[in-house]
C-alpha cells in the first residue's frame, strides 16, 4: 500500500470513529449513589438459597401500624453475570422503595445494564405492589435473578 | 526518457481499487463507531477500557472476516476493480489481521470477565458457555480458526499440495457459521434494533448473498445454460495437455482472451476441487480450450479425464486482457505453461507492435510453441525464444538477456508477464529498471482461493 492509500484508509477510519465518539453518550458511568449502587451489607450475609426471614435494618415486628419503615432482603441469586439481591422497604404494608443490594459485577457493561434495569424494576414494583412484574428487556440475566430475589423479599415481608 | 505520465485507464482503475480496499477498512471503522456511539466505551473504572478494547477487537475481526468472504465471493465488480490476484492477496492480508484480533478478543474478554466475576480464567471459559449455546459454538469456532491458520502456515512452509490446503480451508466456512450467532445474540451492539443492527445485517446479507449468488448459484445456472462438457483431451508433444470443452452460447460467458476460469470437473476424483486455468485459445461460441501442464497432482491427472465429463466453470476472472492496455505496443513475456493466456491474447490480434518472449527449458518443452509461431506470423508479431537452464534474472545461462535488449522501444509497450512467481518477479524488476511505468506492467497470479 502506497503512502497516499494508507492516508486515505487511516484518515477515513479516523473520521468515522470520531463520528462515533460525537454520537456517544457520556463515557463515565455515574457513580452517584443510585438504587443500583451495591449498598454495603448491614452486617448480615444472606443465604443464597433461602429468603432472609429476618427484617433488615429497622427493627420491628410484623410491620403493621406505627408508620415504621422496615426493610426486607431477598436471597442473593447468582448467575453467570453476577449476583443479584433485592431489598424492599415497607411502610404500613405498602412497598415504598426497592433497591439492589447487589447487582451484577463491576464490569462496565454490567453497571450500564443494571443502572438501566433496576430503576425500571423499582417503578414497576411500586406500581404493582407485587414482585410479579415484567422482565426488563435488554437485561436478560438481571431480570430472572432480581425477580427471584424480589419474590423472596416479598415473602419475607409477608406480602406474597 | 521513461514515460511516467499515468494513463487515464490505469489511473481510474487504480483509483477504484484504492477506494474499494479503503471502503473495506472503513466498514470496520463503522462497526467500531457504532459500538462507541452505543456507549461501548462507557466505564466506571479505568480497567473497563481493557474490556472495551477486547470488544473492539472482536468487532473489527468480524468485519474483516466478512470482507474476506466478500473478496473471494467472485462478485464481478470486485474481480473487475481489484483483479482476482489482488482480491486474493487482500483476502490473505485481512485474514492474518482478523485471526490475531480474534485471539485478542477472546483472551481479553475471558481475562476481564474472570477479573470481574472473581473466577479463574479456566472457570470463565466454562462459565461463558452458560450464557447460551452460541458461546459454545463460538469457542469451537475459535479452535477451528486456529487449526486452519496453523495448517495453512504448515502447508506453505512444507509445500503441501493445493488440494490439502483447499480441504483445510473449507473448514473456515463451518467456523464462520459457528461464530456468527454469538455476534448477534451476545454482542451488545446488536441488542435493540438501532442503526447498528441494520448496518450489521446489511454487511452479512451483502457478503453471504454475494457468496451464495456467485459461488454457488451462478455456476449451477451456467452449467444448465451452457451444458459445458469435455469434448477432447489431447496430449501435446511438450508434455502439456489441452482440453477442449464444448457447450452452448459460450459467448454469453463474456470471457475475453487472457482471462481464466475456475474449472470443476464433475467426475469421480475431480469434483471436489476447482482449479484456475487460463483459456489457451480465444473463446468461441461453442468451445473453450485450456492447456495444463503437470505441476500439482490435479493437473497431472487431467490427462486422464474422460471425454463427456460435465464441467462447472466460475468466471471469467482476471484483468489480464486487452482492456488493461495503456501503451501503443505490447510485449508478452511467458515462462513455460504461463504462455496460455498470452497465446489467447495473441490470437485476438492486439493493436500496435507485438513481441512475444518465450522462456522455457528447451525447445521441446516449450508449450504451444507451434501455435505461437503460426499466430505471430499471421499477426506480424516477433517471437523471441530464450531456452536453457536458469541464469541471472529471468533469462537463461545460454542466452542472458534483458527486456530492453530484446525490445528497444520498451517504454512504449505494455508488458504482460505470466509464469512462476519468482521468475515473474525477475521480469517485473527488469521492466521497472528499464523505465516501464508500473501501470504498464500486467501480471496475473493465480491466488489460492
Amino acid at each position: 500500500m502506497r503512502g497516499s492509500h494508507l492516508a486515505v484508509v487511516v484518515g477515513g477510519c479516523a473520521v468515522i470513529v470520531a463520528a462515533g465518539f460525537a454520537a456517544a453518550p457520556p463515557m463515565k458511568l455515574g457513580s452517584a449513589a443510585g438504587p443500583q449502587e451495591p449498598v454495603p451489607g448491614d452486617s448480615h450475609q444472606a443465604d443464597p438459597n433461602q429468603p432472609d426471614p429476618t427484617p433488615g435494618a429497622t427493627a420491628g415486628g410484623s410491620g403493621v401500624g406505627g408508620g415504621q419503615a422496615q426493610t426486607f432482603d431477598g436471597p442473593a441469586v447468582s448467575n453467570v453475570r453476577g449476583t443479584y439481591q433485592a431489598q424492599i422497604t415497607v411502610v404500613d404494608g405498602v412497598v415504598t422503595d426497592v433497591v439492589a443490594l447487589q447487582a451484577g459485577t463491576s464490569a462496565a457493561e454490567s453497571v450500564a445494564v443494571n443502572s438501566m434495569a433496576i430503576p425500571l424494576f423499582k417503578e414497576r414494583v411500586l406500581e404493582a405492589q407485587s414482585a410479579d412484574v415484567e422482565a426488563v428487556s435488554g437485561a436478560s440475566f438481571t431480570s430472572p435473578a432480581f425477580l427471584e430475589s424480589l419474590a423472596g423479599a416479598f415473602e419475607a415481608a409477608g406480602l406474597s | 526518457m521513461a514515460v511516467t505520465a499515468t494513463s487515464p485507464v490505469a489511473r481510474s482503475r487504480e483509483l477504484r481499487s484504492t477506494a474499494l480496499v479503503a471502503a473495506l477498512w472503513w466498514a470496520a471503522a463503522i462497526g467500531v463507531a457504532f459500538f462507541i456511539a452505543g456507549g461501548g466505551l462507557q466505564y466506571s473504572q479505568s480497567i473497563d477500557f481493557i474490556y472495551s478494547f477486547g470488544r473492539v477487537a472482536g468487532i473489527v475481526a468480524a468485519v474483516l472476516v466478512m470482507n474476506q468472504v466478500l473478496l473471494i465471493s467472485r462478485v464481478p465488480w470486485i474481480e473487475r476493480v481489484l483483479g482476482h490476484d489482488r482480491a486474493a492477496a487482500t483476502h490473505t492480508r485481512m485474514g492474518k489481521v482478523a485471526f490475531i484480533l480474534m485471539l485478542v478478543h477472546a483472551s481479553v474478554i475471558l481475562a476481564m470477565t474472570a477479573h470481574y466475576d472473581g473466577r479463574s480464567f479456566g472457570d470463565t471459559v466454562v462459565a461463558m458457555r452458560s450464557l447460551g449455546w452460541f458461546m459454545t459454538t463460538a469457542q469451537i469456532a475459535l479452535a477451528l480458526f486456529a487449526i486452519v491458520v496453523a495448517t495453512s502456515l504448515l502447508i506453505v512452509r512444507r509445500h503441501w499440495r493445493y488440494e490439502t490446503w483447499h480441504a483445510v480451508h473449507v473448514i473456515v466456512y463451518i467456523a464462520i457459521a459457528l461464530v456468527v450467532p454469538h455476534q448477534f445474540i451476545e454482542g451488545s451492539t446488536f441488542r435493540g434494533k438501532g442503526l447498528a443492527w441494520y448496518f450489521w445485517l446489511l454487511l452479512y446479507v451483502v457478503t453471504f448473498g454475494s457468496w451464495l449468488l456467485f459461488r454457488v448459484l451462478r455456476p449451477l445456472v451456467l452449467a444448465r445454460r451452457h451444458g459445458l462438457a469435455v469434448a477432447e483431451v489431447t496430449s501435446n508433444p511438450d508434455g502439456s495437455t489441452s482440453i477442449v470443452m464444448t457447450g452452448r452460447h459460450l459467448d454469453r460467458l463474456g470471457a475475453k482472451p487472457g482471462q481464466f476460469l475456475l474449472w470443476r470437473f464433475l467426475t469421480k476424483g475431480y469434483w471436489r476441487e476447482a482449479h484456475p486455468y487460463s483459456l489457451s485459445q480465444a473463446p468461441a461460441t461453442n468451445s473453450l480450450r485450456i492447456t495444463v501442464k503437470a505441476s500439482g497432482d490435479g493437473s497431472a491427472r487431467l490427462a486422464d479425464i474422460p471425454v463427456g465429463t460435465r464441467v462447472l466453470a466460475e468466471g471469467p476472472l482476471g484483468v489480464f486482457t486487452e482492456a488493461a492496455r495503456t501503451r501503443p505496443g505490447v510485449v508478452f513475456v511467458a515462462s513455460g505453461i504461463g504462455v496460455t493466456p498470452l497465446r489467447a491474447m495473441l490470437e485476438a490480434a492486439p493493436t500496435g507492435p507485438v513481441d512475444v518472449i518465450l522462456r522455457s527449458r528447451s525447445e521441446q518443452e516449450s508449450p504451444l510453441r507451434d501455435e505461437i509461431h503460426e499466430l505471430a506470423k499471421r499477426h506480424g508479431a516477433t517471437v523471441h525464444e530464450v531456452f536453457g537452464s536458469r541464469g541471472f534474472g529471468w533469462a537463461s545461462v545460454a542466452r542472458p538477456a534483458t527486456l530492453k535488449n530484446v525490445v528497444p522501444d520498451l517504454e512504449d509497450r505494455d508488458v504482460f508477464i505470466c509464469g512462476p512467481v519468482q521468475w515473474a518477479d525477475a521480469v517485473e524488476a527488469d521492466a521497472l529498471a528499464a523505465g516501464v511505468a508500473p501501470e504498464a506492467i500486467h501480471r496475473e497470479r493465480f491466488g489460492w482461493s
Side-chain angles (χ1 to χ4, degrees):
Chain A
M1 208 179 316
R2 279 196 237 142
S4 59
H5 297 194
L6 197 67
V8 169
V9 170
V10 174
C13 287
V15 169
I16 292 164
V17 171
F21 272 104
M27 296 232 296
K28 178 77 179 159
L29 287 168
S31 57
Q36 77 284 4
E37 189 67 13
V39 175
D42 49 20
S43 82
H44 73 267
Q45 202 62 29
D47 177 342
N49 295 314
Q50 288 299 315
D52 188 349
T54 54
T58 328
S62 62
V64 184
Q68 280 268 10
Q70 288 179 274
T71 58
F72 299 91
D73 299 352
V77 179
S78 294
N79 62 32
V80 68
R81 283 285 156 81
T83 303
Y84 303 80
Q85 188 176 21
Q87 184 186 64
I88 58 172
T89 304
V90 180
V91 180
D92 291 341
V94 175
V95 180
T96 58
D97 197 13
V98 175
V99 297
L101 296 178
Q102 300 179 72
T105 65
S106 62
E109 246 183 320
S110 180
V111 173
V113 166
N114 290 311
S115 62
M116 175 276 293
I118 303 298
L120 283 175
F121 277 121
K122 176 183 173 180
E123 212 172 277
R124 289 174 193 188
V125 169
L126 293 186
E127 194 184 321
Q129 287 295 311
S130 152
D132 190 16
V133 296
E134 280 213 9
V136 170
S137 77
S140 38
F141 284 85
T142 301
S143 293
F146 194 68
L147 286 175
E148 189 185 331
S149 185
L150 263 176
F154 269 76
E155 206 170 294
L159 292 172
S160 54
Chain B
M1 176 63 206
V3 179
T4 46
T6 311
S7 78
V9 180
R11 206 168 57 202
S12 100
R13 187 170 166 244
E14 193 59 36
L15 260 176
R16 279 180 295 149
S17 66
T18 305
L20 178 62
V21 174
L24 294 175
W25 292 104
W26 293 340
I30 293 171
V32 175
F34 273 125
F35 166 77
I36 295 169
L41 291 186
Q42 287 186 316
Y43 68 102
S44 52
Q45 323 147 56
S46 37
I47 197 171
D48 295 342
F49 282 117
I50 302 175
Y51 186 81
S52 302
F53 171 72
R55 290 180 61 197
V56 167
I59 287 167
V60 176
V63 176
L64 293 185
V65 169
M66 288 306 106
N67 286 347
Q68 283 192 280
V69 174
L70 189 65
L71 283 166
I72 49 116
S73 69
R74 322 242 197 275
V75 58
W77 52 272
I78 286 187
E79 297 286 339
R80 253 199 318 274
V81 171
L82 273 189
H84 191 72
D85 55 344
R86 201 158 153 202
T90 312
H91 166 93
T92 308
R93 193 174 317 131
M94 286 188 167
K96 285 176 190 155
V97 180
F99 180 67
I100 293 168
L101 289 175
M102 265 184 238
L103 288 181
V104 168
H105 167 71
S107 38
V108 168
I109 296 289
L110 284 169
M112 287 305 293
T113 306
H115 164 78
Y116 289 133
D117 295 354
R119 285 196 187 87
S120 74
F121 191 89
D123 287 347
T124 306
V125 172
V126 178
M128 278 279 183
R129 292 181 201 145
S130 62
L131 288 171
W133 57 271
F134 47 87
M135 290 310 297
T136 310
T137 60
Q139 290 180 2
I140 296 170
L142 184 67
L144 290 180
F145 276 116
I147 291 171
V148 171
V149 171
T151 48
S152 293
L153 292 176
L154 272 180
I155 286 167
V156 170
R157 187 162 302 169
R158 300 201 178 159
H159 305 290
W160 283 359
R161 300 158 55 217
Y162 166 84
E163 289 76 14
T164 315
W165 170 86
H166 189 263
V168 169
H169 227 72
V170 167
I171 298 176
V172 168
Y173 290 112
I174 301 169
I176 292 175
L178 292 175
V179 85
V180 165
H182 98 285
Q183 298 172 9
F184 269 88
I185 304 174
E186 177 57 17
S188 16
T189 322
F190 308 104
R191 290 183 207 141
K193 289 199 178 178
L195 212 52
W197 194 85
Y198 286 99
F199 163 75
W200 285 97
L201 190 69
L202 186 75
L203 198 66
Y204 283 91
V205 168
V206 168
T207 303
F208 288 110
S210 304
W211 185 84
L212 198 67
L213 211 57
F214 293 101
R215 288 205 72 163
V216 181
L217 295 178
R218 189 165 183 271
L220 292 176
V221 167
L222 291 185
R224 237 186 113 81
R225 180 195 294 164
H226 301 298
L228 203 60
V230 174
E232 207 183 303
V233 179
T234 318
S235 290
N236 300 320
D238 53 68
S240 63
T241 304
S242 287
I243 299 173
V244 176
M245 287 160 274
T246 53
R248 302 177 294 269
H249 318 298
L250 293 175
D251 47 332
R252 284 178 65 188
L253 273 174
K256 307 263 186 309
Q259 287 191 299
F260 66 97
L261 293 94
L262 290 159
W263 308 93
R264 192 183 291 273
F265 297 94
L266 300 182
T267 184
K268 197 162 171 278
Y270 297 89
W271 65 273
R272 278 174 208 279
E273 300 141 11
H275 291 273
Y277 296 120
S278 295
L279 296 170
S280 63
Q281 214 168 45
T285 333
N286 57 3
S287 80
L288 301 171
R289 189 186 77 170
I290 58 173
T291 302
V292 302
K293 191 149 192 176
S295 55
D297 294 8
S299 27
R301 290 183 302 130
L302 280 177
D304 308 324
I305 202 121
V307 168
T309 301
R310 288 182 59 98
V311 184
L312 285 186
E314 283 180 70
L317 301 166
V319 289
F320 211 61
T321 66
E322 184 73 6
R325 292 279 302 274
T326 63
R327 295 290 184 275
V330 63
V331 189
F332 294 133
V333 195
S335 172
I337 198 65
V339 75
T340 51
L342 304 177
R343 146 79 180 76
M345 290 179 81
L346 181 62
E347 184 179 355
T351 55
V354 182
D355 283 81
V356 182
I357 302 174
L358 297 180
R359 173 77 180 90
S360 215
R361 245 191 310 260
S362 67
E363 192 180 314
Q364 294 71 36
E365 289 168 275
S366 183
L368 306 178
R369 181 167 180 263
D370 296 345
E371 293 184 16
I372 296 280
H373 278 282
E374 202 225 300
L375 287 168
K377 197 182 288 173
R378 196 191 305 165
H379 299 304
T382 316
V383 181
H384 313 265
E385 296 183 298
V386 182
F387 297 132
S389 50
R390 233 176 267 178
F392 290 111
W394 58 269
S396 68
V397 176
R399 187 178 169 188
T402 64
L403 293 174
K404 190 77 183 165
N405 309 144
V406 181
V407 184
D409 63 335
L410 195 62
E411 58 275 4
D412 291 332
R413 306 290 188 101
D414 277 298
V415 182
F416 285 82
I417 309 165
C418 194
V421 176
Q422 282 185 347
W423 172 86
D425 287 343
V427 180
E428 184 174 347
D430 183 10
L432 288 170
V436 179
E439 84 258 14
I441 299 174
H442 311 279
R443 286 179 66 174
E444 189 76 87
R445 299 177 188 86
F446 297 126
W448 273 11
S449 61

